[in-house]
Amino acid sequence: MAVTVTAADLLDGRADPARAYVGKVAAFDPDAAQPGNWPDHLALWAEHHQAQDGARPLERCVVDLSSPELTGAQLIGAPELAELGGITASTLRSYISRRNSEVPLPQAVVGGRDQWARAVADDWVESRQRSYQGVKTAMSGGDPDSLSPGAVEVRDRFAVDFHHTLFDRTDVRKRWVLRQRNKESVAEVVDALAWSVAVSLDEIVPTEHLGRTVRASVLFDFTESLEMLGDDANEDGDGPTHWWHLNLTPSVAKTLDWYIRCFPAEAYATIGEIQRQAHKTWKAPVADTLSALRSALSLDGELTEQQRETYFALLEPHENTD
Protein backbone atom coordinates (compact mmCIF):
# COMPACT_ATOMS: atom_id res chain seq x y z
CA MET A 1 0.00 0.00 0.00
CA ALA A 2 3.03 2.29 -0.24
CA VAL A 3 2.67 5.47 -2.32
CA THR A 4 5.60 7.37 -3.79
CA VAL A 5 5.86 11.09 -3.13
CA THR A 6 7.39 13.21 -5.89
CA ALA A 7 9.06 16.61 -5.83
CA ALA A 8 6.00 18.09 -7.54
CA ASP A 9 3.79 16.85 -4.68
CA LEU A 10 5.81 18.79 -2.10
CA LEU A 11 6.49 21.99 -4.03
CA ASP A 12 3.23 23.80 -3.28
CA GLY A 13 4.47 27.37 -3.65
CA ARG A 14 5.21 28.03 0.00
CA ALA A 15 8.88 26.97 -0.21
CA ASP A 16 11.37 29.76 -0.93
CA PRO A 17 14.63 28.77 -2.70
CA ALA A 18 16.19 32.06 -1.57
CA ARG A 19 16.28 30.69 1.99
CA ALA A 20 18.35 27.68 0.90
CA TYR A 21 21.98 27.30 -0.15
CA VAL A 22 24.15 25.06 -2.32
CA GLY A 23 26.63 23.16 -0.20
CA LYS A 24 29.95 21.66 -1.17
CA VAL A 25 30.79 18.00 -0.93
CA ALA A 26 34.18 18.78 0.61
CA ALA A 27 32.47 20.54 3.52
CA PHE A 28 29.69 18.01 3.98
CA ASP A 29 29.32 16.74 7.55
CA PRO A 30 27.26 13.54 7.72
CA ASP A 31 26.81 13.95 11.48
CA ALA A 32 25.39 17.47 11.26
CA ALA A 33 21.69 18.01 11.86
CA GLN A 34 19.57 18.16 8.74
CA PRO A 35 18.27 21.56 7.64
CA GLY A 36 15.02 22.53 9.29
CA ASN A 37 13.80 24.16 6.09
CA TRP A 38 14.13 21.13 3.84
CA PRO A 39 11.28 22.25 1.50
CA ASP A 40 13.28 25.42 0.71
CA HIS A 41 16.29 23.29 -0.24
CA LEU A 42 14.04 21.10 -2.37
CA ALA A 43 12.79 24.20 -4.17
CA LEU A 44 16.37 25.37 -4.85
CA TRP A 45 17.28 21.90 -6.11
CA ALA A 46 14.22 21.95 -8.40
CA GLU A 47 15.37 25.26 -9.95
CA HIS A 48 18.83 23.86 -10.73
CA HIS A 49 17.35 20.57 -11.90
CA GLN A 50 14.92 22.11 -14.35
CA ALA A 51 17.66 24.29 -15.83
CA GLN A 52 19.42 21.19 -17.13
CA ASP A 53 18.85 19.85 -20.62
CA GLY A 54 16.59 16.81 -20.73
CA ALA A 55 15.74 17.05 -17.04
CA ARG A 56 13.28 14.52 -15.70
CA PRO A 57 9.91 16.14 -14.91
CA LEU A 58 9.39 16.92 -11.23
CA GLU A 59 6.29 14.66 -11.34
CA ARG A 60 8.69 11.73 -11.88
CA CYS A 61 11.32 12.68 -9.28
CA VAL A 62 10.61 10.53 -6.20
CA VAL A 63 11.74 12.16 -2.96
CA ASP A 64 9.75 10.28 -0.29
CA LEU A 65 7.55 7.27 0.39
CA SER A 66 4.17 7.32 2.08
CA SER A 67 3.50 3.91 3.64
CA PRO A 68 0.18 3.53 5.52
CA GLU A 69 1.41 0.45 7.39
CA LEU A 70 4.13 2.56 9.01
CA THR A 71 1.75 5.09 10.54
CA GLY A 72 1.58 5.15 14.31
CA ALA A 73 -1.91 3.65 14.40
CA GLN A 74 -0.79 0.62 12.37
CA LEU A 75 2.38 -0.22 14.33
CA ILE A 76 2.40 -2.83 17.10
CA GLY A 77 4.51 -3.06 20.25
CA ALA A 78 6.48 -5.86 21.85
CA PRO A 79 3.49 -7.48 23.65
CA GLU A 80 1.52 -7.77 20.40
CA LEU A 81 4.58 -9.03 18.49
CA ALA A 82 5.24 -11.65 21.17
CA GLU A 83 1.61 -12.83 21.08
CA LEU A 84 1.74 -13.23 17.30
CA GLY A 85 4.96 -15.24 17.63
CA GLY A 86 3.50 -17.53 20.28
CA ILE A 87 5.96 -16.47 22.99
CA THR A 88 5.76 -14.31 26.11
CA ALA A 89 6.71 -10.65 26.09
CA SER A 90 9.56 -11.38 28.52
CA THR A 91 10.95 -14.02 26.15
CA LEU A 92 10.81 -11.55 23.27
CA ARG A 93 12.60 -8.90 25.34
CA SER A 94 15.22 -11.51 26.22
CA TYR A 95 15.72 -12.25 22.51
CA ILE A 96 16.11 -8.54 21.78
CA SER A 97 18.57 -7.96 24.63
CA ARG A 98 20.70 -10.85 23.38
CA ARG A 99 20.52 -9.37 19.87
CA ASN A 100 18.90 -12.54 18.57
CA SER A 101 19.10 -12.23 14.79
CA GLU A 102 15.68 -13.80 14.23
CA VAL A 103 13.85 -10.83 15.77
CA PRO A 104 13.31 -8.13 13.13
CA LEU A 105 14.55 -4.62 13.73
CA PRO A 106 11.77 -2.21 14.82
CA GLN A 107 10.42 0.20 12.23
CA ALA A 108 10.06 3.00 14.78
CA VAL A 109 10.69 3.95 18.39
CA VAL A 110 7.74 5.76 19.96
CA GLY A 111 8.08 7.06 23.50
CA GLY A 112 11.17 4.91 23.99
CA ARG A 113 9.31 1.74 22.96
CA ASP A 114 10.08 -0.33 19.87
CA GLN A 115 7.32 -0.54 17.29
CA TRP A 116 6.93 -2.94 14.34
CA ALA A 117 4.87 -2.84 11.18
CA ARG A 118 2.24 -5.58 11.00
CA ALA A 119 3.66 -6.81 7.66
CA VAL A 120 7.10 -7.23 9.24
CA ALA A 121 5.55 -9.03 12.22
CA ASP A 122 3.65 -11.40 9.93
CA ASP A 123 6.84 -12.23 8.00
CA TRP A 124 8.61 -12.95 11.29
CA VAL A 125 5.80 -15.25 12.46
CA GLU A 126 5.90 -17.16 9.16
CA SER A 127 9.68 -17.45 9.40
CA ARG A 128 9.36 -18.89 12.93
CA GLN A 129 6.79 -21.41 11.70
CA ARG A 130 9.18 -22.57 8.98
CA SER A 131 12.18 -22.76 11.31
CA TYR A 132 13.56 -26.00 12.76
CA GLN A 133 11.71 -25.53 16.05
CA GLY A 134 8.60 -24.22 14.31
CA VAL A 135 8.26 -27.35 12.17
CA LYS A 136 8.70 -29.56 15.24
CA THR A 137 6.04 -27.61 17.15
CA ALA A 138 3.57 -27.72 14.26
CA MET A 139 3.95 -31.48 13.95
CA SER A 140 3.65 -32.17 17.68
CA GLY A 141 -0.13 -31.99 17.30
CA GLY A 142 -0.70 -30.82 20.87
CA ASP A 143 1.17 -33.74 22.43
CA PRO A 144 1.92 -32.88 26.10
CA ASP A 145 5.59 -33.81 25.62
CA SER A 146 5.79 -31.87 22.29
CA LEU A 147 6.90 -35.05 20.54
CA SER A 148 6.60 -35.76 16.82
CA PRO A 149 3.94 -38.28 15.69
CA GLY A 150 6.61 -40.97 15.24
CA ALA A 151 8.10 -40.32 18.67
CA VAL A 152 4.61 -40.53 20.20
CA GLU A 153 4.21 -43.96 18.62
CA VAL A 154 7.55 -45.08 20.06
CA ARG A 155 6.69 -43.72 23.52
CA ASP A 156 3.27 -45.39 23.60
CA ARG A 157 4.61 -48.68 22.27
CA PHE A 158 7.42 -48.90 24.83
CA ALA A 159 5.08 -47.83 27.63
CA VAL A 160 2.92 -50.89 26.91
CA ASP A 161 5.98 -53.16 26.61
CA PHE A 162 7.55 -51.88 29.82
CA HIS A 163 4.29 -52.18 31.73
CA HIS A 164 3.84 -55.76 30.58
CA THR A 165 7.40 -56.63 31.56
CA LEU A 166 7.45 -54.88 34.92
CA PHE A 167 3.93 -55.54 36.18
CA ASP A 168 2.00 -58.14 34.21
CA ARG A 169 4.75 -60.76 34.39
CA THR A 170 4.60 -62.08 37.95
CA ASP A 171 8.03 -63.70 37.72
CA VAL A 172 9.54 -60.28 37.10
CA ARG A 173 7.24 -58.24 39.32
CA LYS A 174 7.98 -60.20 42.49
CA ARG A 175 11.65 -59.30 42.14
CA TRP A 176 11.20 -55.58 42.58
CA VAL A 177 7.59 -54.48 43.30
CA LEU A 178 7.11 -53.55 46.96
CA ARG A 179 3.82 -54.05 48.75
CA GLN A 180 2.96 -50.36 48.70
CA ARG A 181 3.40 -50.13 44.95
CA ASN A 182 0.34 -50.51 42.74
CA LYS A 183 -0.47 -50.57 39.04
CA GLU A 184 -0.72 -46.78 38.84
CA SER A 185 2.72 -46.22 40.36
CA VAL A 186 4.22 -48.77 38.00
CA ALA A 187 2.54 -46.98 35.09
CA GLU A 188 4.32 -43.77 36.11
CA VAL A 189 7.67 -45.54 36.01
CA VAL A 190 7.14 -47.17 32.64
CA ASP A 191 5.80 -43.93 31.15
CA ALA A 192 9.03 -42.23 32.20
CA LEU A 193 11.07 -45.03 30.64
CA ALA A 194 9.07 -44.86 27.40
CA TRP A 195 9.51 -41.08 27.29
CA SER A 196 13.26 -41.56 27.65
CA VAL A 197 13.27 -43.79 24.58
CA ALA A 198 11.10 -41.41 22.54
CA VAL A 199 13.24 -38.32 23.18
CA SER A 200 16.39 -40.30 22.37
CA LEU A 201 15.37 -41.13 18.81
CA ASP A 202 17.96 -38.79 17.31
CA GLU A 203 20.62 -40.66 19.25
CA ILE A 204 19.29 -44.02 18.07
CA VAL A 205 18.90 -43.13 14.38
CA PRO A 206 21.71 -41.41 12.39
CA THR A 207 19.46 -38.70 10.97
CA GLU A 208 22.16 -36.99 8.88
CA HIS A 209 22.97 -40.17 6.97
CA LEU A 210 19.33 -41.21 6.85
CA GLY A 211 18.40 -37.90 5.24
CA ARG A 212 20.98 -38.36 2.48
CA THR A 213 19.82 -41.93 1.92
CA VAL A 214 16.17 -40.88 1.66
CA ARG A 215 17.06 -38.09 -0.77
CA ALA A 216 19.06 -40.47 -2.98
CA SER A 217 16.27 -43.06 -2.93
CA VAL A 218 13.57 -40.54 -3.87
CA LEU A 219 15.61 -39.12 -6.74
CA PHE A 220 16.44 -42.64 -7.94
CA ASP A 221 12.71 -43.51 -8.04
CA PHE A 222 11.98 -40.27 -9.89
CA THR A 223 14.67 -41.11 -12.44
CA GLU A 224 13.33 -44.63 -13.01
CA SER A 225 9.74 -43.45 -13.40
CA LEU A 226 10.75 -40.87 -16.00
CA GLU A 227 12.92 -43.34 -17.89
CA MET A 228 10.02 -45.82 -18.07
CA LEU A 229 7.73 -43.13 -19.47
CA GLY A 230 10.36 -41.94 -21.94
CA ASP A 231 9.20 -39.24 -24.33
CA ASP A 232 5.67 -39.50 -22.94
CA ALA A 233 6.87 -37.78 -19.76
CA ASN A 234 8.05 -34.60 -21.48
CA GLU A 235 7.46 -32.44 -24.47
CA ASP A 236 10.99 -31.30 -25.27
CA GLY A 237 13.18 -33.77 -23.41
CA ASP A 238 13.90 -31.38 -20.56
CA GLY A 239 11.76 -32.92 -17.87
CA PRO A 240 8.29 -33.98 -16.68
CA THR A 241 5.29 -31.98 -17.79
CA HIS A 242 3.01 -33.20 -14.98
CA TRP A 243 3.74 -33.86 -11.32
CA TRP A 244 2.26 -37.36 -11.50
CA HIS A 245 5.15 -38.40 -13.76
CA LEU A 246 7.33 -38.38 -10.61
CA ASN A 247 6.52 -41.61 -8.79
CA LEU A 248 7.82 -43.36 -5.67
CA THR A 249 7.87 -47.06 -4.93
CA PRO A 250 5.89 -48.03 -1.81
CA SER A 251 9.06 -48.82 0.16
CA VAL A 252 10.60 -45.41 -0.49
CA ALA A 253 7.30 -43.63 0.21
CA LYS A 254 6.87 -45.49 3.51
CA THR A 255 10.46 -44.63 4.52
CA LEU A 256 9.94 -40.95 3.73
CA ASP A 257 6.66 -41.00 5.66
CA TRP A 258 8.38 -42.56 8.69
CA TYR A 259 11.18 -39.99 8.43
CA ILE A 260 8.67 -37.15 8.51
CA ARG A 261 6.74 -38.65 11.44
CA CYS A 262 9.84 -39.22 13.55
CA PHE A 263 12.11 -36.35 12.44
CA PRO A 264 9.89 -33.67 10.84
CA ALA A 265 12.45 -30.86 10.98
CA GLU A 266 15.27 -32.95 9.46
CA ALA A 267 12.90 -34.30 6.79
CA TYR A 268 11.90 -30.70 5.97
CA ALA A 269 15.49 -29.93 4.96
CA THR A 270 15.79 -33.20 3.01
CA ILE A 271 12.63 -32.49 1.00
CA GLY A 272 13.98 -29.02 0.21
CA GLU A 273 17.12 -30.65 -1.23
CA ILE A 274 14.95 -33.05 -3.26
CA GLN A 275 13.01 -30.12 -4.72
CA ARG A 276 16.19 -28.26 -5.65
CA GLN A 277 17.79 -31.32 -7.23
CA ALA A 278 14.65 -32.19 -9.22
CA HIS A 279 14.50 -28.63 -10.53
CA LYS A 280 18.20 -28.66 -11.40
CA THR A 281 18.06 -32.06 -13.13
CA TRP A 282 14.69 -32.01 -14.89
CA LYS A 283 13.54 -28.38 -14.49
CA ALA A 284 10.65 -29.71 -12.44
CA PRO A 285 8.77 -26.89 -10.64
CA VAL A 286 9.19 -27.17 -6.86
CA ALA A 287 5.41 -27.21 -6.43
CA ASP A 288 5.11 -30.23 -8.76
CA THR A 289 7.78 -32.15 -6.84
CA LEU A 290 5.89 -31.39 -3.64
CA SER A 291 2.62 -32.62 -5.15
CA ALA A 292 4.27 -35.89 -6.21
CA LEU A 293 5.62 -36.49 -2.70
CA ARG A 294 2.30 -35.63 -1.09
CA SER A 295 0.46 -38.02 -3.42
CA ALA A 296 2.91 -40.87 -2.68
CA LEU A 297 2.53 -40.40 1.07
CA SER A 298 -1.27 -40.30 0.86
CA LEU A 299 -1.15 -43.73 -0.83
CA ASP A 300 1.50 -45.50 1.23
CA GLY A 301 2.16 -43.39 4.32
CA GLU A 302 0.77 -43.42 7.84
CA LEU A 303 0.53 -39.68 8.43
CA THR A 304 -3.07 -38.62 8.96
CA GLU A 305 -4.62 -36.34 6.38
CA GLN A 306 -4.49 -33.46 8.86
CA GLN A 307 -0.80 -34.12 9.61
CA ARG A 308 0.01 -34.19 5.88
CA GLU A 309 -1.88 -30.95 5.27
CA THR A 310 -0.12 -29.22 8.16
CA TYR A 311 3.33 -30.42 7.13
CA PHE A 312 3.10 -29.80 3.40
CA ALA A 313 1.61 -26.34 4.00
CA LEU A 314 4.94 -25.46 5.63
CA LEU A 315 6.76 -26.77 2.56
CA GLU A 316 4.70 -24.81 0.02
CA PRO A 317 6.83 -22.29 -1.93
CA HIS A 318 6.51 -18.64 -0.94
CA GLU A 319 4.42 -16.43 -3.18
CA ASN A 320 6.19 -15.14 -6.29
CA THR A 321 8.75 -17.97 -6.00
CA ASP A 322 9.48 -20.17 -9.01
Side-chain angles (χ1 to χ4, degrees):
M1 297 175 64
V3 178
T4 55
V5 179
T6 67
D9 295 328
L10 297 183
L11 294 173
D12 55 5
R14 289 178 293 180
D16 184 0
R19 294 196 294 260
Y21 64 89
V22 177
K24 294 183 178 181
V25 173
F28 176 72
D29 182 5
D31 296 324
Q34 64 181 5
N37 58 334
W38 187 77
D40 297 335
H41 286 267
L42 179 63
L44 179 58
W45 169 84
E47 285 187 355
H48 286 276
H49 175 74
Q50 291 177 301
Q52 300 177 17
D53 294 335
R56 182 187 296 269
L58 296 179
E59 292 79 6
R60 295 177 57 196
C61 295
V62 178
V63 295
D64 202 354
L65 187 70
S66 175
S67 188
E69 65 267 23
L70 295 181
T71 60
Q74 299 297 324
L75 296 176
I76 62 175
E80 295 84 359
L81 181 64
E83 182 178 359
L84 288 174
I87 58 177
T88 64
S90 60
T91 299
L92 177 64
R93 286 191 288 269
S94 176
Y95 286 170
I96 294 173
S97 66
R98 296 200 306 264
R99 300 182 182 275
N100 189 309
S101 59
E102 76 168 30
V103 180
L105 293 174
Q107 279 63 71
V109 178
V110 180
R113 299 180 181 273
D114 293 336
Q115 301 283 303
W116 289 266
R118 183 57 184 256
V120 173
D122 290 341
D123 284 346
W124 176 63
V125 171
E126 181 181 4
S127 176
R128 281 179 56 82
Q129 291 174 340
R130 292 172 179 261
S131 68
Y132 181 92
Q133 187 59 44
V135 173
K136 291 183 66 175
T137 300
M139 290 302 291
S140 67
D143 179 76
D145 294 325
S146 298
L147 297 175
S148 66
V152 168
E153 294 171 8
V154 171
R155 179 195 62 195
D156 294 346
R157 173 188 170 184
F158 277 93
V160 173
D161 289 348
F162 290 154
H163 192 279
H164 173 72
T165 301
L166 297 176
F167 191 84
D168 295 339
R169 289 180 52 185
T170 56
D171 60 322
V172 175
R173 182 175 58 183
K174 67 182 181 180
R175 300 177 187 175
W176 68 277
V177 176
L178 302 178
R179 290 184 180 275
Q180 63 267 31
R181 288 181 179 157
N182 53 31
K183 188 173 183 177
E184 288 70 27
S185 63
V186 173
E188 293 178 3
V189 175
V190 297
D191 286 344
L193 293 172
W195 174 85
S196 179
V197 174
V199 297
S200 301
L201 273 180
D202 57 348
E203 298 178 9
I204 299 172
V205 179
T207 55
E208 178 184 357
H209 304 301
L210 176 61
R212 294 178 180 178
T213 303
V214 169
R215 180 184 65 184
S217 299
V218 169
L219 293 173
F220 179 84
D221 275 5
F222 282 176
T223 301
E224 281 208 324
S225 63
L226 293 176
E227 287 177 351
M228 284 191 296
L229 289 171
D231 293 337
D232 293 337
N234 60 74
E235 298 174 342
D236 52 10
D238 288 333
T241 57
H242 302 291
W243 63 263
W244 54 84
H245 291 150
L246 301 172
N247 298 315
L248 295 183
T249 57
S251 294
V252 173
K254 289 179 182 295
T255 301
L256 177 60
D257 179 86
W258 178 88
Y259 192 34
I260 292 173
R261 286 186 288 116
C262 294
F263 305 100
E266 289 83 354
Y268 183 95
T270 297
I271 292 175
E273 289 296 328
I274 292 171
Q275 291 174 295
R276 282 188 285 273
Q277 190 62 44
H279 180 72
K280 178 181 178 181
T281 305
W282 303 294
K283 299 181 181 178
V286 294
D288 282 12
T289 303
L290 207 59
S291 295
L293 297 177
R294 185 192 294 114
S295 176
L297 297 190
S298 68
L299 293 173
D300 298 307
E302 295 182 21
L303 283 166
T304 66
E305 182 177 357
Q306 182 58 52
Q307 288 170 342
R308 279 198 311 276
E309 290 297 323
T310 299
Y311 191 71
F312 279 89
L314 297 170
L315 284 160
E316 288 290 346
H318 290 283
E319 293 183 3
N320 302 322
T321 299
D322 292 333

